Amino acid sequence: MESKVKQPVSNNDTTKNSWLSLNPRSLPDVENGANGKYWKTKDGLELNGTVEKQEKPMSHMTEVEHPTSYGETLMHLFKGNLGSGLFAMGDAMKNGGIVLGPAAIIFLGLICTHCQHLLLTASTKIAQKTGVKVLPDFATTVELCFENGPPATQRLAKPMRKLVKLFLCVTQLGFCCVYFVFVSSNFKQLADYYGFEIDIHIHMALILGPIILTCLVRNLKYLAPLSAIANIFMAVGLVITFYYISQDLPAFSERDYVGTASNFPLFFGTALFAFEGIGLVLPLRNEMKKPDTFQKTFGVLNVGMVFVTIAFTCLGIVSYLKFGDDIQGSVTLNLPEDEILGQSVKILIALAILMSYALQFYIAIEIMWGQVEKTHPAMKHPIFYELAFRTLFVLITFVLAEAIPYLNLFISLIGAISSTALALLIPPLLEITTSDKSAFKIMKNIFIIIIGVIGCITGTYESIAAIVKAFQEDN
């Protein structure tokens, strides 16, 4: 069969082919049409979904208004993963051990990268099967895979879509809350040294304005320069950090080789929080000039995740080796306050994380604003309302951040709940529903799911217990 593009509901011919410039904000939603499945954009166009094969590879059919290059996409991938979680890896190693921790980080890095490939493959397969010419987003991919899978999964299609959207929003907005705490904690430490001792909540209020301004940028293309500057700050800050923490290192024997059983779940949650980029892979892939380069052997995903995993492992080992049990939720807080280089690290890293807020915020706001557009299709002045909507949710994350006094524990909690579900549980389920049922694939996916379930349950329990204990000690 051939796919057909119906005329839009309105008579405005300028929107006739506008489905070719879909971006994540206008990714199609599945609805039931009279002749089966169809895909409908916010412009009112319907694309018959009865095509089983594409005449051309999908990468040649996907066009966006402001496509990103390989380098720009790689910058976004780095910024999506190298956030505050990177500087929490020393605290993770304290809970995992100087030997077991690095091995577990590399293992989790391999699994998380593999799961991101599973998500991309499942999205590509289901898009080809339904005839849509852009990869559906994370939540739509899950719904379609379940809907077109075995009978047992079909009734779960819509609930799973809603659950994934919920987890994505909780995860990304959780990152944003932690970013408020991270940036303000570093600025406060520096301000206190120079005698400007003000409450950390005031520091949060001072960075609120710049964060709102960055979040008013509505297109990934225009966030690329911000990501590039943030990456430069991050790279310089990392070099200086390594310079400091690599001086006069103690022997490995002075550190725990293996963390305690009660602390390892905290390690797991922190590590999964650090590998925070799975929600970005489909939007980043869809926004590329040459999307087929994203998933190749030396494509954006593999190259980016190799460097990310190496950075996590190296910084985590050296941070814990240097400071031991005195390591803080961010290693930048352990650096000397009375030296210019130490102060510059705090400023550079804090600014880099501040600039990264908008990228993490992007995913959640696209999901939530998409629902608003769907329920109010005839909205007047949509851009104005979207900007107001974005400002509102920045304010919400700001208010929530004001109530987060324990950075490292909340990092573990967010990682254990939402990050684990998105990174380790959903992708294997997608492969089970969309690929052949070979014994190897089934066993491999069950193994990943078991790791995810155990990590989620134990990590959540230990994180909540540690947070309760911390509040009780403060009181």
Side-chain angles (χ1 to χ4, degrees):
M1 293 184 182
E2 294 182 355
S3 63
K4 299 178 181 178
V5 179
K6 299 180 181 179
Q7 294 294 327
V9 175
S10 69
N11 293 322
N12 185 355
D13 290 336
T14 61
T15 64
K16 184 174 182 180
N17 295 315
S18 60
W19 62 273
L20 288 172
S21 60
L22 288 173
N23 57 37
R25 76 177 59 256
S26 57
L27 284 172
D29 288 321
V30 177
E31 299 180 15
N32 289 318
N35 298 317
K37 290 293 175 189
Y38 64 81
W39 296 74
K40 187 174 182 180
T41 74
K42 65 180 182 180
D43 294 321
L45 297 173
E46 300 171 4
L47 178 64
N48 192 321
T50 58
V51 180
E52 296 185 359
K53 294 183 179 180
Q54 299 286 356
E55 296 179 0
K56 294 188 294 182
M58 288 189 62
S59 60
H60 298 296
M61 292 184 169
T62 304
E63 297 181 20
V64 294
E65 187 176 355
H66 302 287
T68 54
S69 66
Y70 183 103
E72 290 172 335
T73 308
L74 192 60
M75 290 299 101
H76 283 316
L77 184 70
F78 283 147
K79 285 315 307 142
N81 286 276
L82 297 178
S84 59
L86 170 63
F87 298 94
M89 295 314 298
D91 183 66
M93 295 299 175
K94 179 184 73 174
N95 293 318
I98 197 70
V99 173
L100 180 59
I105 287 293
I106 294 173
F107 178 69
L108 283 176
L110 291 172
I111 290 182
C112 288
T113 303
H114 175 66
C115 286
Q116 290 175 12
H117 278 284
L118 294 183
L119 173 62
L120 286 163
T121 300
S123 187
T124 301
K125 284 184 177 180
I126 204 64
Q128 291 173 340
K129 185 174 182 179
T130 56
V132 67
K133 296 184 180 181
V134 291
L135 293 189
D137 61 10
F138 198 156
T140 305
T141 295
V142 171
E143 180 181 23
L144 289 178
C145 288
F146 273 69
E147 197 169 64
N148 290 273
T153 69
Q154 292 176 5
R155 70 180 68 178
L156 299 174
K158 292 189 181 300
M160 285 299 295
R161 175 192 173 109
K162 294 177 181 178
L163 185 64
V164 169
K165 283 187 173 183
L166 175 63
F167 279 145
L168 280 170
C169 291
V170 169
T171 300
Q172 301 304 132
L173 294 179
F175 294 156
C176 293
C177 292
V178 172
Y179 281 13
F180 261 112
V181 180
F182 181 94
V183 174
S184 58
S185 296
N186 281 273
F187 282 159
K188 174 176 171 52
Q189 193 179 71
L190 190 59
D192 287 352
Y193 174 76
Y194 284 101
F196 299 100
E197 297 186 11
I198 57 177
D199 191 85
I200 191 171
H201 302 299
I202 298 177
H203 282 280
M204 290 187 192
L206 292 175
I207 65 174
L208 177 61
I211 287 179
I212 289 177
L213 290 178
T214 62
C215 290
L216 297 182
V217 179
R218 301 168 56 247
N219 194 291
L220 277 178
K221 175 72 174 180
Y222 301 133
L223 286 177
L226 207 61
S227 288
I229 296 172
N231 280 330
I232 293 172
F233 286 173
M234 184 73 73
V236 175
L238 275 175
V239 170
I240 300 174
T241 300
F242 269 111
Y243 167 77
Y244 269 115
I245 65 179
S246 61
Q247 305 294 317
D248 302 320
L249 291 175
F252 268 64
S253 58
E254 296 187 25
R255 302 292 177 246
D256 295 330
Y257 289 163
V258 178
T260 62
S262 61
N263 284 342
F264 194 78
L266 296 176
F267 161 85
F268 185 88
T270 303
L272 259 295
F273 174 90
F275 287 107
E276 59 193 48
I278 192 168
L280 282 172
V281 294
L282 285 170
L284 290 181
R285 191 267 182 204
N286 285 345
E287 290 277 320
M288 289 189 70
K289 293 177 183 176
K290 299 179 180 179
D292 56 329
T293 63
F294 189 84
Q295 204 177 353
K296 287 185 175 180
T297 303
F298 295 100
V300 172
L301 181 57
N302 287 344
V303 171
M305 291 305 295
V306 165
F307 280 102
V308 166
T309 304
I310 291 173
F312 288 164
T313 306
C314 293
L315 188 60
I317 291 174
V318 181
S319 298
Y320 175 50
L321 188 60
K322 174 69 175 180
F323 299 109
D325 290 340
D326 293 328
I327 187 72
Q328 297 196 44
S330 169
V331 68
T332 58
L333 300 176
N334 288 98
L335 299 181
E337 303 172 23
D338 56 350
E339 298 180 20
I340 295 298
L341 277 180
Q343 295 171 358
S344 66
V345 170
K346 300 177 194 296
I347 295 174
L348 288 172
I349 299 300
L351 288 175
I353 297 300
L354 187 150
M355 294 178 185
S356 303
Y357 182 104
L359 188 61
Q360 299 298 344
F361 187 73
Y362 184 88
I363 303 301
I365 210 68
E366 291 303 301
I367 293 172
M368 295 184 293
W369 181 247
Q371 290 298 116
V372 173
E373 287 185 315
K374 185 177 179 181
T375 54
H376 300 84
M379 184 190 309
K380 294 182 179 179
H381 312 296
I383 294 179
F384 170 79
Y385 284 112
E386 181 182 352
L387 296 179
F389 189 81
R390 286 169 172 266
T391 303
L392 172 64
F393 272 89
V394 173
L395 292 174
I396 289 174
T397 60
F398 165 72
V399 171
L400 292 174
E402 294 280 5
I404 303 178
Y406 307 108
L407 175 63
N408 57 332
L409 298 180
F410 275 92
I411 284 176
S412 293
L413 180 61
I414 293 169
I417 300 175
S418 299
S419 298
T420 300
L422 295 173
L424 297 183
L425 299 182
I426 302 297
L429 291 175
L430 296 182
E431 185 176 53
I432 290 174
T433 60
T434 59
S435 68
D436 60 280
K437 305 300 186 290
S438 67
F440 171 75
K441 286 185 177 180
I442 291 175
M443 295 302 296
K444 179 258 297 181
N445 287 319
I446 289 176
F447 174 71
I448 295 174
I449 291 171
I450 290 173
I451 292 176
V453 170
I454 294 175
C456 182
I457 294 174
T458 59
T460 301
Y461 174 80
E462 292 296 337
S463 297
I464 292 176
I467 290 170
V468 172
K469 182 180 177 181
F471 273 109
Q472 289 174 343
E473 289 177 351
D474 274 357
N475 292 332

